[in-house]
Amino acid sequence: MKKILFAASECVPFVKTGGLADVVGSLPKSMDPKKYDIRVIIPLYHAIPEKYRDRMETVYYFQMDNRIYVGVKKLVMDGITYYFIDNEQYFSGLVPYYDMFQDLERFAYFSKAVLSALPLIGFRPDIIHCHDWQSALIPVYLNTVFQGDPFFRGIKTIFTIHNIRFQGTWNVGHLKWVSALPSECFKPGLLVSPFQNTDYPENEWNASMMRGGLVYSDYITTVSNSYAQEIQTPQFSDGLDDILKWRNNRLWGIINGLDYSIWNPSTDGKIAQNYNLVTLKKGKEANKMAMQRRLGLKEDGKVFTIGLISRLTDQKGLDLIDQCMDQICSMNINLVILGTGDRRYEDMFRYYATKYPGKVSANICYSDELSHLMYAGCDALLVPSAFEPCGLTQLIALKYGTIPIVHEVGGLKDSVKPYNQFEQTGTGFTFHDYSGWALQDRINHANWVYYDKPSYWKEMQKRGMKEDWSWTNSSKIYADLYEK
Ligand code: ADP
Ligand code: GLC
């Protein structure tokens, strides 16, 4: 039996801001429990609901480096053991992330605390599987500060990139201070880019925690094949293409899967009416009307309804939607938005909701419940991202018979097959050029097929619903990697 520890900053059902939490919550459950004992460790945020906190037991507490408190709590749920690193000073806020400056210190602490706790909690993993920059220092600490301790000898590490845009970057002086890592880690080529401008004093060079994870881990993965290729180019790598090219024989692209016990229209308890391939039309109409009632839109089961469920950040292609809004709203279309994020995008959607009342519904909030109803009630889902490592919303949409309209990039390209009207193939509308015009063209096409060729539309829905985007395939690839 292989023992594996997932270290991450979020995990469903405890705390979620994006797809990272979905993946960390669902991948361990998809692995064969007879072969793998997979446990998960995350910070004990105050944001974790009471109903879980109340059931946790304290496993151990100690002073790390004789000065900082580390508590370790534990909860076993659905066959998975979850550990939580407790420290009020760092994790008592209402949200998991603050600003980058504070988060660097909080997650450097978390990474070191994870390793420091292992000898004390009775779990020695064969592999530590780290996710994104918040746990990227684990491989660095393991191969430096903790190297002398026989307990840690032979533990392997995997680092998974969910989003290369966020790296935990600051100047060397500050990162040295928050991490207390030895100076040798900050040589160019390690936590520091080899292309630093040497005119600056060393302490002012930029250092990146994610770069550390990429340099010091045994294997690197990312969440789709296309993204694995893209991040080896300067256009997509945010300055890390040198290391990714250098280590590309250790870089695997493995597409994410979904937990179909959560995301399945025939069993989903959060939607108005369950449906399947046979009851698709009626079921989606009933959900659409329930959604319209809930959001104060006119009840009309037939109106073409497009959804957007997204963090509202530059990554997500919202500038393209801005360029198209007036034209979209001149059509017989409803647009339902669910998201939070950058103020300027939140205000942009609020503005359009005021400009086009009854057509645009802007829900600037986080709501798991509403997201389920939207996946079921919308006809199409927009995912025009500038870059998208994997993307889960288009995968969920496919399962719910909601046609994705996506930019051909990263995981979107790997999961949505372009619609071909002549051959009657494909599962969504895709565009190549990152432009408002290209997006508008796909929306026009979708609108035409929806209203004028309903049988084609229905066949496309069915093709998507029949596909398998569960973890079945990808968990086998992770198993191959764990065996290596
Ligand atoms: P990312 O991780 O970049 O945000 P993904 O597509 O991988 O993008 O995952 C987004 C996840 O978060 C999906 O499960 C989606 O349903 C969910 N989500 C995003 N925004 C909201 C929101 N405002 N309310 C509820 N769920 C949301
Ligand atoms: C990141 C990416 C998203 C991916 C998710 C889970 O947040 O932006 O594309 O699906 O991680 O891997």
Side-chain angles (χ1 to χ4, degrees), residues 46-105:
H46 257 243
I48 295 178
E50 289 272 325
K51 65 174 176 189
Y52 301 119
R53 298 167 68 92
D54 288 349
R55 288 163 49 201
M56 294 175 189
E57 57 168 294
T58 301
V59 192
Y60 210 91
Y61 56 89
F62 59 99
Q63 299 287 331
M64 183 163 75
D65 302 331
N66 292 322
R67 59 181 189 96
I68 316 174
Y69 176 85
V70 180
V72 187
K73 304 223 176 187
K74 177 176 160 183
L75 176 64
V76 182
M77 231 172 66
D78 304 331
I80 304 282
T81 301
Y82 299 93
Y83 295 107
F84 301 85
I85 295 287
D86 180 22
N87 179 301
E88 287 274 320
Q89 183 195 335
Y90 287 127
F91 302 125
S92 63
L94 292 174
V95 287
Y97 309 122
Y98 304 169
D99 55 56
M100 187 50 93
F101 186 76
Q102 297 182 69
D103 286 350
L104 290 166
E105 182 178 344

Side-chain angles (χ1 to χ4, degrees), residues 19-20 23 162-163 223 256 311 315-316 388-392:
L20 168 64
V23 173
H162 293 265
N163 194 336
V223 289
N256 287 331
R311 287 184 296 111
Q315 171 187 346
K316 300 294 181 178
E388 196 61 77
C390 175
L392 299 178

Side-chain angles (χ1 to χ4, degrees), residues 8-18 20-26 28 40-42 45 48 80 82 84 97:
S9 58
E10 34 183 292
C11 173
V12 162
F14 308 107
V15 57
K16 165 168 165 177
T17 72
L20 168 64
D22 291 302
V23 173
V24 175
S26 56
V40 179
I41 190 159
I42 63 170
Y45 307 106
I48 295 178
I80 304 282
Y82 299 93
F84 301 85
Y97 309 122

Side-chain angles (χ1 to χ4, degrees), residues 394-412:
Q394 84 282 8
L395 302 181
I396 303 172
L398 287 170
K399 184 71 180 170
Y400 282 71
T402 305
I403 306 290
I405 302 175
V406 307
H407 181 211
E408 287 167 16
V409 76
L412 300 173

Side-chain angles (χ1 to χ4, degrees), residues 92-345:
S92 63
L94 292 174
V95 287
Y97 309 122
Y98 304 169
D99 55 56
M100 187 50 93
F101 186 76
Q102 297 182 69
D103 286 350
L104 290 166
E105 182 178 344
R106 297 166 70 230
F107 291 106
Y109 160 84
F110 170 70
S111 298
K112 195 168 185 189
V114 167
L115 291 174
S116 306
L118 286 179
L120 308 169
I121 62 172
F123 184 65
R124 186 197 172 279
D126 301 298
I127 300 168
I128 307 180
H129 188 160
C130 308
H131 298 265
D132 266 356
W133 76 265
Q134 295 90 344
S135 55
L137 287 190
I138 291 179
V140 186
Y141 282 121
L142 185 69
N143 288 292
T144 54
V145 181
F146 289 80
Q147 206 183 28
D149 184 336
F151 176 89
F152 293 96
R153 219 159 282 154
I155 296 183
K156 302 289 183 195
T157 51
I158 296 172
F159 181 72
T160 295
I161 305 167
H162 293 265
N163 194 336
I164 213 163
R165 176 62 51 91
F166 304 105
Q167 298 182 7
T169 302
W170 213 271
N171 61 40
V172 168
H174 185 61
L175 281 203
K176 255 188 204 169
W177 184 76
V178 297
S179 66
L181 279 165
S183 289
E184 73 218 30
C185 297
F186 295 89
K187 285 192 188 138
L190 298 174
L191 266 73
V192 166
S193 160
F195 309 113
Q196 286 295 330
N197 184 344
T198 43
D199 294 342
Y200 290 104
E202 211 174 284
N203 263 351
E204 286 175 22
W205 294 350
N206 273 345
S208 141
M209 290 195 182
M210 184 177 272
R211 181 178 276 277
L214 300 177
V215 171
Y216 284 88
S217 57
D218 293 290
Y219 276 91
I220 302 164
T221 75
T222 188
V223 289
S224 68
N225 258 320
S226 287
Y227 196 58
Q229 300 308 316
E230 288 164 359
I231 55 178
Q232 294 180 54
T233 66
Q235 192 194 343
F236 287 98
S237 76
D238 284 89
L240 295 178
D241 46 301
D242 64 293
I243 171 79
L244 288 161
K245 270 195 298 232
W246 173 53
R247 299 208 65 196
N248 79 359
N249 63 337
R250 293 279 175 139
L251 168 64
W252 293 32
I254 309 175
I255 192 127
N256 287 331
L258 293 177
D259 181 346
Y260 279 162
S261 70
I262 298 176
W263 300 110
N264 185 342
S266 62
T267 52
D268 190 335
K270 293 177 180 159
I271 64 178
Q273 189 174 310
N274 292 121
Y275 58 92
N276 54 30
L277 280 168
V278 181
T279 54
L280 167 64
K281 191 163 182 292
K282 273 197 167 156
K284 283 196 75 76
E285 263 181 37
N287 282 296
K288 187 188 288 183
M289 291 197 287
M291 177 177 78
Q292 288 163 338
R293 271 194 301 280
R294 174 163 168 179
L295 302 179
L297 293 166
K298 186 167 149 255
E299 263 183 67
D300 175 358
K302 308 280 181 234
V303 65
F304 184 39
T305 303
I306 305 182
L308 173 82
I309 302 172
S310 181
R311 287 184 296 111
L312 302 180
T313 67
D314 286 340
Q315 171 187 346
K316 300 294 181 178
L318 307 168
D319 47 338
L320 302 193
I321 299 181
D322 191 18
Q323 289 165 33
C324 302
M325 267 319 259
D326 289 321
Q327 200 175 338
I328 297 174
C329 292
S330 70
M331 301 155 85
N332 185 21
I333 286 182
N334 274 355
L335 193 63
V336 180
I337 293 119
L338 173 63
T340 56
D342 295 354
R343 184 64 193 268
R344 75 182 173 112
Y345 293 122

